[in-house]
Amino acid sequence: MFSEERREKILEKVEKIGRVLAKDLAEEYNVSIDSIRRDLSIMEEESLLKRTHGGAIPNPKARNRPQPPSVRYGEGNEAQAAIAKAAATYIKADETVFIGGSSIHFKMLTYIPKNIAFTVVTNSVEIAYHLRNYANVETYLVGGIMKASGNITDGLANEFAKQFTVDVNFATAGGLSAKGLSTATPEVAIFHNTIFTNSRKNIVLMENDKIGLNLFAGLNVPFSMLNLVITDDGASQDKIDMLHSHGVKTIMAEEEEQ
């Protein structure tokens, strides 16, 4: 296998599972760990990923194409599953909730209640399509121009979203730092600002790798509007302390043992 081909495989793996270790990649591709480290360095220079101690994660600051549907709407990783499962417990009978189009949102569909009636507002064609199979769920799809990801976040969608008030907003973002929430593009930030404003409760679903990051477009959402952050049990104490210092209640969802 040529090095270019190996790097393509590594990028696919990073996008699919979220976190990779250099030693595991060296074993999988039968090369030295130094070769893998060179691969990761080159890929980081090309803004394809972000190196970490011992491995790599996706580059959250890269403003590139959306994840392919096979990744965004795939099985997800263990951290996403743990967060999604914990989030679904906050859905109550007869409430209206907002569920977007991220990988964690898609994973939530595995765990949402089947025995109570509730309403979902979504800006994701993929989420709406899967919810058609749930007899207990009434679904409203926000209108506008659909992006390649299947999500709708343009100006028309923002005006559409202003018509709704939801009980719980299950929010995601590309980063959460002392500066607040942030995402890759301004139109997405504006759309989700509207959802936050029109929600009685905002629950942020955030993988630990994204805590401490600042992306291109900040959301104009004060910490006082974040009722709860659900992250995975890989979050360091420093990250949890940062959230607590801003008065944000935090839960670490435990990943299930395989």
Side-chain angles (χ1 to χ4, degrees):
M1 180 183 294
F2 293 110
S3 58
E4 291 83 1
E5 183 181 0
R6 184 174 63 243
R7 288 196 286 271
E8 288 182 2
K9 296 292 185 183
I10 291 172
L11 181 59
E12 290 178 3
K13 186 177 291 290
V14 169
E15 290 181 339
K16 183 174 182 180
I17 66 177
R19 289 173 282 183
V20 296
L21 296 177
K23 63 180 182 65
D24 293 340
L25 295 173
E27 292 177 2
E28 180 174 352
Y29 298 113
N30 195 29
V31 296
S32 69
I33 195 166
D34 286 337
S35 294
I36 294 297
R37 286 170 178 160
R38 282 194 293 273
D39 287 337
L40 298 181
S41 294
I42 291 170
M43 295 169 74
E44 185 175 48
E45 289 175 0
E46 295 175 349
S47 298
L48 297 174
L49 51 72
K50 178 179 175 60
R51 292 189 66 188
T52 62
H53 179 69
I57 60 173
N59 181 6
K61 297 183 179 180
R63 299 173 62 195
N64 49 19
R65 56 175 170 71
Q67 290 179 317
S70 60
V71 175
R72 181 185 288 265
Y73 304 119
E75 294 182 0
N77 57 46
E78 294 176 8
Q80 291 168 345
I83 294 168
K85 185 176 183 180
T89 64
Y90 287 87
I91 299 176
K92 307 302 179 185
D94 301 321
E95 287 191 340
T96 298
V97 303
F98 178 84
I99 297 177
S102 72
S103 298
I104 290 179
H105 288 134
F106 185 74
K107 195 64 182 178
M108 276 185 71
L109 302 186
T110 304
Y111 304 108
I112 61 174
K114 310 296 193 302
N115 60 341
I116 60 173
F118 62 98
T119 300
V120 171
V121 176
T122 183
N123 67 320
S124 167
V125 172
E126 191 76 21
I127 295 292
Y129 179 78
H130 282 79
L131 285 174
R132 81 194 193 285
N133 296 316
Y134 293 77
N136 62 312
V137 180
E138 185 174 57
T139 304
Y140 287 84
L141 177 61
V142 171
I145 298 175
M146 184 181 70
K147 299 189 293 187
S149 64
N151 292 346
I152 305 169
T153 55
D154 65 347
L156 182 59
N158 189 49
E159 291 302 313
F160 198 88
K162 290 178 182 178
Q163 311 306 311
F164 294 101
T165 298
V166 302
D167 294 295
V168 184
N169 167 30
F170 292 103
T172 59
L176 173 58
S177 72
K179 294 183 178 180
L181 292 161
S182 58
T183 188
T185 57
E187 65 271 18
V188 173
I190 291 169
F191 174 82
H192 285 290
N193 281 342
T194 298
I195 300 297
F196 269 92
T197 301
N198 288 4
S199 300
R200 296 187 175 94
K201 179 184 293 185
N202 294 293
I203 298 178
V204 178
L205 315 180
M206 184 69 56
E207 295 158 86
N208 86 83
D209 293 334
K210 297 180 179 180
I211 299 176
L213 298 178
N214 291 302
L215 273 67
F216 178 68
L219 275 70
N220 188 26
V221 176
F223 281 102
S224 60
M225 290 182 66
L226 309 186
N227 300 97
L228 177 66
V229 170
I230 303 177
T231 187
D232 57 88
D233 58 7
S236 68
Q237 190 59 50
D238 287 345
K239 292 180 178 180
I240 300 302
D241 289 344
M242 182 274 291
L243 295 173
H244 288 173
S245 71
H246 291 279
V248 180
K249 181 180 178 182
T250 308
I251 291 176
M252 289 191 291
E254 295 185 4
E255 300 179 18
E256 295 182 359
E257 296 183 1
Q258 301 298 308

